[in-house]
Amino acid sequence: MLSEPLTPEQKDFLDGLDRFADGEIGLTEGPGRSAFLCAIPAESLDAAVANALARFEDFPGVLVRRVELDEIALDQNSMATPAVFPAPPPVEASPLS
């Protein structure tokens, strides 16, 4: 999540950055906020986070406020551990009536 929403100028600048053109990072926006969803292949969670954060070096005026981990994505990528984030309980299919 970013410290504040992107300005129109920042959005235009983002469109020209090659580091964001590969589809591994996507912008999501809502009222008063901008965030990026990341799906970066890496050997480790640390490497994925470092890769994502490094892409913002070329993006002036943007401060990454926090990194959030999606527990379901971590489980699907076999990265969910008690030290990182416990895997959620399995979802049970409801029987059809």
Side-chain angles (χ1 to χ4, degrees), residues 40-49 51 77-79:
I40 298 173
E43 291 294 319
S44 68
L45 179 59
D46 288 343
V49 171
N51 181 317
N77 291 309
S78 300
M79 289 185 174

Side-chain angles (χ1 to χ4, degrees), residues 57-77:
E57 292 173 357
D58 297 333
F59 202 156
V62 172
L63 173 65
V64 177
R65 186 173 67 184
R66 71 177 180 260
V67 175
E68 297 177 359
L69 304 175
D70 181 303
E71 66 274 8
I72 295 173
L74 288 173
D75 184 45
Q76 291 171 344
N77 291 309

Side-chain angles (χ1 to χ4, degrees), residues 2-3 9 14 23 27-28 30-31 44 55-56 59 70-71 77 79 81 83-84 89-90 92 95:
L2 302 179
S3 59
E9 293 81 15
L14 175 65
L27 176 64
T28 64
S44 68
R55 296 179 192 213
F56 288 89
F59 202 156
D70 181 303
E71 66 274 8
N77 291 309
M79 289 185 174
T81 67
V84 175
E92 295 182 24

